[in-house]
mmCIF file of all heavy atoms in Angstrom:
data_model
loop_
_atom_site.group_PDB
_atom_site.id
_atom_site.type_symbol
_atom_site.label_atom_id
_atom_site.label_comp_id
_atom_site.label_asym_id
_atom_site.label_seq_id
_atom_site.Cartn_x
_atom_site.Cartn_y
_atom_site.Cartn_z
ATOM 1 N N MET A 279 98.930 254.704 89.036
ATOM 2 C CA MET A 279 99.945 254.124 88.071
ATOM 3 C C MET A 279 99.977 254.892 86.844
ATOM 4 O O MET A 279 101.096 255.112 86.242
ATOM 5 C CB MET A 279 99.572 252.591 87.789
ATOM 6 C CG MET A 279 99.816 251.766 88.890
ATOM 7 S SD MET A 279 99.366 250.122 88.487
ATOM 8 C CE MET A 279 99.981 249.142 89.907
ATOM 9 N N ALA A 280 98.748 255.381 86.319
ATOM 10 C CA ALA A 280 98.752 256.137 85.130
ATOM 11 C C ALA A 280 99.438 257.442 85.340
ATOM 12 O O ALA A 280 100.264 257.853 84.384
ATOM 13 C CB ALA A 280 97.413 256.362 84.564
ATOM 14 N N ASN A 281 99.299 258.038 86.513
ATOM 15 C CA ASN A 281 99.942 259.365 86.721
ATOM 16 C C ASN A 281 101.383 259.202 86.920
ATOM 17 O O ASN A 281 102.230 260.003 86.541
ATOM 18 C CB ASN A 281 99.379 260.013 87.898
ATOM 19 C CG ASN A 281 97.893 260.533 87.699
ATOM 20 O OD1 ASN A 281 97.498 260.761 86.649
ATOM 21 N ND2 ASN A 281 97.229 260.657 88.799
ATOM 22 N N ALA A 282 101.809 258.094 87.449
ATOM 23 C CA ALA A 282 103.149 257.792 87.735
ATOM 24 C C ALA A 282 103.987 257.608 86.380
ATOM 25 O O ALA A 282 105.077 257.910 86.129
ATOM 26 C CB ALA A 282 103.379 256.528 88.527
ATOM 27 N N ALA A 283 103.190 256.994 85.305
ATOM 28 C CA ALA A 283 103.834 256.793 84.039
ATOM 29 C C ALA A 283 104.138 258.074 83.333
ATOM 30 O O ALA A 283 104.941 258.077 82.494
ATOM 31 C CB ALA A 283 102.883 255.828 83.316
ATOM 32 N N GLU A 284 103.198 259.148 83.686
ATOM 33 C CA GLU A 284 103.413 260.335 82.986
ATOM 34 C C GLU A 284 104.651 261.084 83.489
ATOM 35 O O GLU A 284 105.233 261.878 82.758
ATOM 36 C CB GLU A 284 102.150 261.156 83.194
ATOM 37 C CG GLU A 284 101.008 260.646 82.550
ATOM 38 C CD GLU A 284 99.656 261.561 82.877
ATOM 39 O OE1 GLU A 284 99.865 262.517 83.470
ATOM 40 O OE2 GLU A 284 98.715 261.048 82.366
ATOM 41 N N GLY A 285 105.022 260.901 84.741
ATOM 42 C CA GLY A 285 106.172 261.586 85.240
ATOM 43 C C GLY A 285 105.959 261.857 86.728
ATOM 44 O O GLY A 285 104.877 261.668 87.289
ATOM 45 N N GLY A 286 106.944 262.439 87.334
ATOM 46 C CA GLY A 286 106.845 262.742 88.788
ATOM 47 C C GLY A 286 107.278 261.621 89.542
ATOM 48 O O GLY A 286 108.093 260.756 89.189
ATOM 49 N N SER A 287 106.767 261.575 90.758
ATOM 50 C CA SER A 287 107.171 260.491 91.771
ATOM 51 C C SER A 287 106.491 259.152 91.324
ATOM 52 O O SER A 287 105.334 259.208 90.851
ATOM 53 C CB SER A 287 106.648 260.849 93.128
ATOM 54 O OG SER A 287 107.021 259.762 93.992
ATOM 55 N N SER A 288 107.205 258.034 91.412
ATOM 56 C CA SER A 288 106.745 256.816 91.000
ATOM 57 C C SER A 288 105.988 256.076 92.256
ATOM 58 O O SER A 288 105.343 255.042 92.040
ATOM 59 C CB SER A 288 107.818 255.856 90.493
ATOM 60 O OG SER A 288 108.836 255.695 91.540
ATOM 61 N N ASP A 289 106.102 256.666 93.378
ATOM 62 C CA ASP A 289 105.509 256.083 94.553
ATOM 63 C C ASP A 289 104.023 256.474 94.604
ATOM 64 O O ASP A 289 103.686 257.701 94.802
ATOM 65 C CB ASP A 289 106.208 256.474 95.857
ATOM 66 C CG ASP A 289 105.613 255.873 97.028
ATOM 67 O OD1 ASP A 289 105.015 254.843 96.894
ATOM 68 O OD2 ASP A 289 105.991 256.281 98.113
ATOM 69 N N ILE A 290 103.084 255.598 94.549
ATOM 70 C CA ILE A 290 101.637 255.948 94.573
ATOM 71 C C ILE A 290 101.131 256.430 95.898
ATOM 72 O O ILE A 290 100.397 257.418 95.956
ATOM 73 C CB ILE A 290 100.748 254.723 94.300
ATOM 74 C CG1 ILE A 290 99.368 255.075 94.044
ATOM 75 C CG2 ILE A 290 100.926 253.502 95.310
ATOM 76 C CD1 ILE A 290 98.506 254.021 93.372
ATOM 77 N N VAL A 291 101.722 256.017 97.054
ATOM 78 C CA VAL A 291 101.409 256.653 98.414
ATOM 79 C C VAL A 291 101.818 258.182 98.370
ATOM 80 O O VAL A 291 101.070 258.916 98.886
ATOM 81 C CB VAL A 291 102.105 255.861 99.445
ATOM 82 C CG1 VAL A 291 101.880 256.454 100.857
ATOM 83 C CG2 VAL A 291 101.672 254.415 99.491
ATOM 84 N N THR A 292 102.919 258.441 97.914
ATOM 85 C CA THR A 292 103.391 259.809 97.930
ATOM 86 C C THR A 292 102.388 260.686 97.013
ATOM 87 O O THR A 292 102.056 261.806 97.373
ATOM 88 C CB THR A 292 104.759 260.037 97.258
ATOM 89 O OG1 THR A 292 105.736 259.053 98.076
ATOM 90 C CG2 THR A 292 105.365 261.419 97.422
ATOM 91 N N GLN A 293 102.025 260.087 95.965
ATOM 92 C CA GLN A 293 101.119 260.882 95.074
ATOM 93 C C GLN A 293 99.694 261.097 95.712
ATOM 94 O O GLN A 293 99.088 262.183 95.730
ATOM 95 C CB GLN A 293 100.868 260.148 93.720
ATOM 96 C CG GLN A 293 102.058 260.204 92.866
ATOM 97 C CD GLN A 293 101.796 259.373 91.516
ATOM 98 O OE1 GLN A 293 100.858 258.687 91.381
ATOM 99 N NE2 GLN A 293 102.848 259.473 90.718
ATOM 100 N N LEU A 294 99.220 260.011 96.302
ATOM 101 C CA LEU A 294 97.919 260.154 97.041
ATOM 102 C C LEU A 294 97.962 261.021 98.234
ATOM 103 O O LEU A 294 96.953 261.879 98.304
ATOM 104 C CB LEU A 294 97.453 258.651 97.451
ATOM 105 C CG LEU A 294 96.968 257.813 96.312
ATOM 106 C CD1 LEU A 294 96.664 256.514 96.871
ATOM 107 C CD2 LEU A 294 95.817 258.408 95.533
ATOM 108 N N VAL A 295 98.943 260.991 98.947
ATOM 109 C CA VAL A 295 99.107 261.922 100.131
ATOM 110 C C VAL A 295 99.214 263.342 99.632
ATOM 111 O O VAL A 295 98.843 264.306 100.335
ATOM 112 C CB VAL A 295 100.304 261.473 101.051
ATOM 113 C CG1 VAL A 295 100.486 262.444 102.086
ATOM 114 C CG2 VAL A 295 99.876 260.164 101.656
ATOM 115 N N GLY A 296 100.051 263.508 98.596
ATOM 116 C CA GLY A 296 100.279 264.828 98.015
ATOM 117 C C GLY A 296 98.955 265.394 97.440
ATOM 118 O O GLY A 296 98.912 266.701 97.450
ATOM 119 N N ALA A 297 98.022 264.637 97.102
ATOM 120 C CA ALA A 297 96.815 265.173 96.452
ATOM 121 C C ALA A 297 95.834 265.661 97.604
ATOM 122 O O ALA A 297 94.897 266.347 97.178
ATOM 123 C CB ALA A 297 96.209 264.101 95.581
ATOM 124 N N VAL A 298 96.025 265.192 98.845
ATOM 125 C CA VAL A 298 95.063 265.608 99.820
ATOM 126 C C VAL A 298 95.540 267.018 100.411
ATOM 127 O O VAL A 298 96.719 267.167 100.713
ATOM 128 C CB VAL A 298 94.991 264.523 100.905
ATOM 129 C CG1 VAL A 298 94.213 264.886 102.110
ATOM 130 C CG2 VAL A 298 94.665 263.129 100.386
ATOM 131 N N ASP A 299 94.541 267.902 100.488
ATOM 132 C CA ASP A 299 94.809 269.171 101.086
ATOM 133 C C ASP A 299 94.514 269.131 102.545
ATOM 134 O O ASP A 299 93.431 268.829 102.970
ATOM 135 C CB ASP A 299 93.823 270.153 100.431
ATOM 136 C CG ASP A 299 94.018 271.480 100.891
ATOM 137 O OD1 ASP A 299 95.233 271.817 101.486
ATOM 138 O OD2 ASP A 299 93.144 272.400 100.885
ATOM 139 N N THR A 300 95.504 269.333 103.348
ATOM 140 C CA THR A 300 95.385 269.207 104.771
ATOM 141 C C THR A 300 95.420 270.506 105.544
ATOM 142 O O THR A 300 95.774 270.636 106.660
ATOM 143 C CB THR A 300 96.578 268.304 105.420
ATOM 144 O OG1 THR A 300 97.882 268.834 104.927
ATOM 145 C CG2 THR A 300 96.411 266.810 104.826
ATOM 146 N N SER A 301 95.325 271.585 104.769
ATOM 147 C CA SER A 301 95.462 272.940 105.309
ATOM 148 C C SER A 301 94.451 273.114 106.360
ATOM 149 O O SER A 301 94.627 273.785 107.390
ATOM 150 C CB SER A 301 95.411 273.987 104.274
ATOM 151 O OG SER A 301 94.154 273.969 103.608
ATOM 152 N N MET A 302 93.222 272.663 106.287
ATOM 153 C CA MET A 302 92.154 272.852 107.229
ATOM 154 C C MET A 302 91.827 271.706 108.090
ATOM 155 O O MET A 302 90.996 271.796 108.995
ATOM 156 C CB MET A 302 90.830 273.161 106.400
ATOM 157 C CG MET A 302 90.849 274.398 105.545
ATOM 158 S SD MET A 302 91.060 276.018 106.445
ATOM 159 C CE MET A 302 89.532 275.938 107.412
ATOM 160 N N LEU A 303 92.684 270.681 108.061
ATOM 161 C CA LEU A 303 92.417 269.458 108.758
ATOM 162 C C LEU A 303 92.536 269.658 110.211
ATOM 163 O O LEU A 303 91.816 269.277 111.018
ATOM 164 C CB LEU A 303 93.302 268.317 108.179
ATOM 165 C CG LEU A 303 93.137 266.967 108.914
ATOM 166 C CD1 LEU A 303 91.776 266.451 108.598
ATOM 167 C CD2 LEU A 303 94.202 266.010 108.369
ATOM 168 N N VAL A 304 93.649 270.319 110.584
ATOM 169 C CA VAL A 304 93.995 270.478 112.067
ATOM 170 C C VAL A 304 92.841 271.264 112.753
ATOM 171 O O VAL A 304 92.403 271.137 113.715
ATOM 172 C CB VAL A 304 95.374 271.138 112.145
ATOM 173 C CG1 VAL A 304 95.561 271.390 113.758
ATOM 174 C CG2 VAL A 304 96.303 270.131 111.648
ATOM 175 N N GLY A 305 92.534 272.353 112.145
ATOM 176 C CA GLY A 305 91.504 273.310 112.650
ATOM 177 C C GLY A 305 90.195 272.655 112.778
ATOM 178 O O GLY A 305 89.510 272.707 113.748
ATOM 179 N N THR A 306 89.826 271.739 111.787
ATOM 180 C CA THR A 306 88.488 271.066 111.811
ATOM 181 C C THR A 306 88.503 270.003 112.875
ATOM 182 O O THR A 306 87.557 269.808 113.718
ATOM 183 C CB THR A 306 88.159 270.435 110.314
ATOM 184 O OG1 THR A 306 88.270 271.353 109.428
ATOM 185 C CG2 THR A 306 86.983 269.656 110.460
ATOM 186 N N VAL A 307 89.587 269.231 113.016
ATOM 187 C CA VAL A 307 89.628 268.167 114.044
ATOM 188 C C VAL A 307 89.626 268.892 115.485
ATOM 189 O O VAL A 307 88.987 268.309 116.313
ATOM 190 C CB VAL A 307 90.867 267.216 113.808
ATOM 191 C CG1 VAL A 307 91.127 266.374 115.015
ATOM 192 C CG2 VAL A 307 90.672 266.461 112.547
ATOM 193 N N THR A 308 90.382 269.938 115.628
ATOM 194 C CA THR A 308 90.372 270.564 116.885
ATOM 195 C C THR A 308 89.112 271.071 117.250
ATOM 196 O O THR A 308 88.555 270.961 118.379
ATOM 197 C CB THR A 308 91.480 271.757 116.873
ATOM 198 O OG1 THR A 308 92.671 271.168 116.551
ATOM 199 C CG2 THR A 308 91.554 272.444 118.215
ATOM 200 N N SER A 309 88.379 271.798 116.346
ATOM 201 C CA SER A 309 86.945 272.246 116.598
ATOM 202 C C SER A 309 86.074 271.265 117.011
ATOM 203 O O SER A 309 85.333 271.299 117.921
ATOM 204 C CB SER A 309 86.509 273.156 115.565
ATOM 205 O OG SER A 309 86.390 272.478 114.314
ATOM 206 N N LEU A 310 86.033 270.132 116.234
ATOM 207 C CA LEU A 310 85.089 269.078 116.459
ATOM 208 C C LEU A 310 85.427 268.288 117.882
ATOM 209 O O LEU A 310 84.518 268.048 118.626
ATOM 210 C CB LEU A 310 85.276 267.912 115.480
ATOM 211 C CG LEU A 310 84.745 268.321 114.062
ATOM 212 C CD1 LEU A 310 85.002 267.209 113.094
ATOM 213 C CD2 LEU A 310 83.244 268.455 114.182
ATOM 214 N N GLY A 311 86.726 268.278 118.237
ATOM 215 C CA GLY A 311 87.055 267.827 119.575
ATOM 216 C C GLY A 311 86.627 268.707 120.756
ATOM 217 O O GLY A 311 86.149 268.232 121.694
ATOM 218 N N LEU A 312 86.697 270.117 120.447
ATOM 219 C CA LEU A 312 86.253 270.979 121.436
ATOM 220 C C LEU A 312 84.632 270.965 121.601
ATOM 221 O O LEU A 312 84.202 271.056 122.652
ATOM 222 C CB LEU A 312 86.638 272.413 121.116
ATOM 223 C CG LEU A 312 88.083 272.857 121.267
ATOM 224 C CD1 LEU A 312 88.381 274.182 120.752
ATOM 225 C CD2 LEU A 312 88.572 272.725 122.756
ATOM 226 N N VAL A 313 84.016 270.804 120.472
ATOM 227 C CA VAL A 313 82.567 270.638 120.591
ATOM 228 C C VAL A 313 82.163 269.383 121.447
ATOM 229 O O VAL A 313 81.291 269.389 122.278
ATOM 230 C CB VAL A 313 81.900 270.569 119.191
ATOM 231 C CG1 VAL A 313 80.500 270.241 119.317
ATOM 232 C CG2 VAL A 313 81.984 271.962 118.576
ATOM 233 N N ALA A 314 82.858 268.268 121.185
ATOM 234 C CA ALA A 314 82.629 266.936 121.831
ATOM 235 C C ALA A 314 82.833 267.132 123.311
ATOM 236 O O ALA A 314 81.988 266.668 124.223
ATOM 237 C CB ALA A 314 83.332 265.938 121.187
ATOM 238 N N VAL A 315 83.973 267.684 123.745
ATOM 239 C CA VAL A 315 84.296 267.920 125.080
ATOM 240 C C VAL A 315 83.244 268.856 125.790
ATOM 241 O O VAL A 315 82.914 268.593 126.979
ATOM 242 C CB VAL A 315 85.676 268.269 125.235
ATOM 243 C CG1 VAL A 315 85.956 268.815 126.710
ATOM 244 C CG2 VAL A 315 86.662 267.304 124.756
ATOM 245 N N SER A 316 82.944 269.823 125.088
ATOM 246 C CA SER A 316 81.920 270.870 125.668
ATOM 247 C C SER A 316 80.517 270.150 125.931
ATOM 248 O O SER A 316 79.980 270.379 127.048
ATOM 249 C CB SER A 316 81.707 271.995 124.801
ATOM 250 O OG SER A 316 83.016 272.719 124.576
ATOM 251 N N VAL A 317 80.170 269.435 124.977
ATOM 252 C CA VAL A 317 78.869 268.619 125.145
ATOM 253 C C VAL A 317 78.968 267.708 126.361
ATOM 254 O O VAL A 317 78.016 267.599 127.181
ATOM 255 C CB VAL A 317 78.517 267.873 123.961
ATOM 256 C CG1 VAL A 317 77.326 266.834 124.209
ATOM 257 C CG2 VAL A 317 78.130 268.809 122.804
ATOM 258 N N LYS A 318 80.138 266.971 126.501
ATOM 259 C CA LYS A 318 80.233 266.117 127.700
ATOM 260 C C LYS A 318 80.244 266.795 128.911
ATOM 261 O O LYS A 318 79.597 266.424 129.857
ATOM 262 C CB LYS A 318 81.538 265.288 127.444
ATOM 263 C CG LYS A 318 81.600 264.215 128.379
ATOM 264 C CD LYS A 318 80.457 263.113 128.199
ATOM 265 C CE LYS A 318 80.568 261.903 129.230
ATOM 266 N NZ LYS A 318 79.477 261.057 129.108
ATOM 267 N N TRP A 319 80.999 267.946 129.045
ATOM 268 C CA TRP A 319 81.101 268.826 130.196
ATOM 269 C C TRP A 319 79.717 269.370 130.567
ATOM 270 O O TRP A 319 79.320 269.467 131.727
ATOM 271 C CB TRP A 319 81.999 269.889 130.115
ATOM 272 C CG TRP A 319 83.548 269.475 130.388
ATOM 273 C CD1 TRP A 319 83.840 268.193 130.657
ATOM 274 C CD2 TRP A 319 84.711 270.310 130.190
ATOM 275 N NE1 TRP A 319 85.234 268.189 130.764
ATOM 276 C CE2 TRP A 319 85.735 269.424 130.500
ATOM 277 C CE3 TRP A 319 84.851 271.596 129.748
ATOM 278 C CZ2 TRP A 319 86.993 269.916 130.344
ATOM 279 C CZ3 TRP A 319 86.171 271.982 129.793
ATOM 280 C CH2 TRP A 319 87.211 271.233 130.095
ATOM 281 N N GLY A 320 78.976 269.687 129.549
ATOM 282 C CA GLY A 320 77.509 270.159 129.789
ATOM 283 C C GLY A 320 76.697 269.122 130.303
ATOM 284 O O GLY A 320 75.843 269.363 131.418
ATOM 285 N N GLU A 321 76.700 267.869 129.975
ATOM 286 C CA GLU A 321 75.999 266.769 130.501
ATOM 287 C C GLU A 321 76.500 266.562 132.083
ATOM 288 O O GLU A 321 75.705 266.339 132.908
ATOM 289 C CB GLU A 321 76.315 265.420 129.725
ATOM 290 C CG GLU A 321 75.694 265.450 128.370
ATOM 291 C CD GLU A 321 76.076 264.190 127.553
ATOM 292 O OE1 GLU A 321 76.804 263.403 128.071
ATOM 293 O OE2 GLU A 321 75.574 264.149 126.384
ATOM 294 N N LYS A 322 77.834 266.546 132.290
ATOM 295 C CA LYS A 322 78.270 266.350 133.613
ATOM 296 C C LYS A 322 77.679 267.534 134.566
ATOM 297 O O LYS A 322 77.499 267.320 135.617
ATOM 298 C CB LYS A 322 79.696 266.386 133.723
ATOM 299 C CG LYS A 322 80.260 264.966 133.017
ATOM 300 C CD LYS A 322 80.030 263.915 133.958
ATOM 301 C CE LYS A 322 80.698 262.734 133.300
ATOM 302 N NZ LYS A 322 80.329 261.470 134.157
ATOM 303 N N GLY A 323 77.669 268.761 134.002
ATOM 304 C CA GLY A 323 77.244 269.899 134.778
ATOM 305 C C GLY A 323 75.712 269.782 135.204
ATOM 306 O O GLY A 323 75.482 269.939 136.255
ATOM 307 N N ILE A 324 74.936 269.320 134.236
ATOM 308 C CA ILE A 324 73.556 269.045 134.631
ATOM 309 C C ILE A 324 73.318 267.983 135.568
ATOM 310 O O ILE A 324 72.566 268.157 136.623
ATOM 311 C CB ILE A 324 72.726 268.587 133.251
ATOM 312 C CG1 ILE A 324 72.632 269.816 132.259
ATOM 313 C CG2 ILE A 324 71.425 268.140 133.611
ATOM 314 C CD1 ILE A 324 72.228 269.449 130.929
#
């Protein structure tokens, strides 16, 4: 609310989402998913 009073978008959700850096999010989630699947396949292989 304080940031909205200063100027810019008045929607707090837009401000909060805009403040989050999602550039590495897709790569991180994908790599964690691949690790989880690999571990599960390793268990099944044993």
Side-chain angles (χ1 to χ4, degrees):
M279 288 178 172
N281 289 338
E284 293 176 4
S287 177
S288 62
D289 185 17
I290 188 167
V291 175
T292 305
Q293 290 177 353
L294 290 175
V295 171
V298 175
D299 182 25
T300 58
S301 61
M302 296 296 292
L303 182 65
V304 174
T306 304
V307 170
T308 304
S309 62
L310 289 175
L312 286 174
V313 167
V315 169
S316 299
V317 167
K318 191 62 178 173
W319 280 357
E321 291 175 359
K322 290 290 183 182
I324 291 171

